Amino acid sequence: MTPTDAYLASPKAIDDLRAINARFIENFINNDVAAHDALLHQSFIAIRSDGMRVGRADYLKAWARGFDPGFIVYWDTRDELISVVGNVALVRATNKHVLRHPCHDETGMTTYTDTYVYERGAWKCIQAQITPVAIGKEPGDETVISVWVEGVRVPELTR
């Protein structure tokens, strides 16, 4: 077994992917394009919840202004599931959000699957896909792993 094979089969690979997933979310909350760009594979593509495919350059351009703490007043990550198969990893989780509109708040959830490939000693996200969560199919609050209120992480609600 090579050192790479041993790593990919180890709990450390899952721990590293869990940390990368947390950074992915932090990059979104902070509109941090440079840090996010470092996580992406050169061949990255995103598939939005409406089915539209977005290339790497347009995705990063939108990332710079994707999170507005005055509009997205609550954001959490929950129900994380990470699998490694060979040198490919699937990182899946759900985000709950509360959007502040002038006359009402809107709550919703999306599930994402980020596909990573392990190359040259690093995990790089090659595809991100978002899917809306249907009413009645939401993962429970007991699965929450991080909470952000108006762009500020709430440590006591984060594990």
Side-chain angles (χ1 to χ4, degrees):
M1 180 178 278
T2 69
T4 297
D5 291 337
Y7 165 74
L8 292 170
S10 75
K12 175 139 176 46
I14 299 291
D15 291 343
D16 289 348
L17 287 158
R18 188 169 287 115
I20 290 167
N21 191 41
R23 244 182 319 204
F24 200 106
I25 297 300
E26 288 175 21
N27 293 345
F28 173 63
I29 300 293
N30 296 312
N31 297 311
D32 190 337
V33 175
H36 197 60
D37 182 44
L39 297 177
L40 301 183
H41 191 276
Q42 285 304 107
S43 299
F44 174 84
I45 189 168
I47 302 172
R48 297 183 346 185
S49 60
D50 64 2
M52 183 176 169
R53 295 182 191 139
V54 179
R56 191 174 196 274
D58 289 337
Y59 174 84
L60 286 170
K61 190 181 302 177
W63 197 267
R65 61 187 190 292
F67 188 86
D68 174 355
F71 178 62
I72 305 172
V73 296
Y74 177 89
W75 183 271
D76 76 31
T77 301
R78 58 181 64 207
D79 198 32
E80 185 179 65
L81 174 62
I82 299 172
S83 304
V84 177
V85 180
N87 72 328
V88 174
L90 299 174
V91 177
R92 309 166 202 92
T94 298
N95 297 121
K96 179 179 180 178
H97 60 265
V98 176
L99 309 179
R100 174 108 344 120
H101 296 284
C103 296
H104 71 285
D105 287 350
E106 173 189 347
T107 301
M109 286 191 187
T110 55
T111 291
Y112 62 87
T113 301
D114 295 336
T115 305
Y116 287 83
V117 63
Y118 190 76
E119 294 179 337
R120 295 182 281 281
W123 290 107
K124 296 293 181 176
C125 186
I126 196 161
Q127 179 176 296
Q129 184 164 358
I130 298 174
T131 304
V133 176
I135 294 172
K137 304 296 183 186
E138 307 92 341
D141 291 345
E142 71 280 1
T143 67
V144 170
I145 58 174
S146 65
V147 174
W148 303 78
V149 175
E150 295 179 350
V152 177
R153 190 178 187 129
V154 182
E156 60 271 19
L157 299 177
T158 300
R159 60 176 173 109

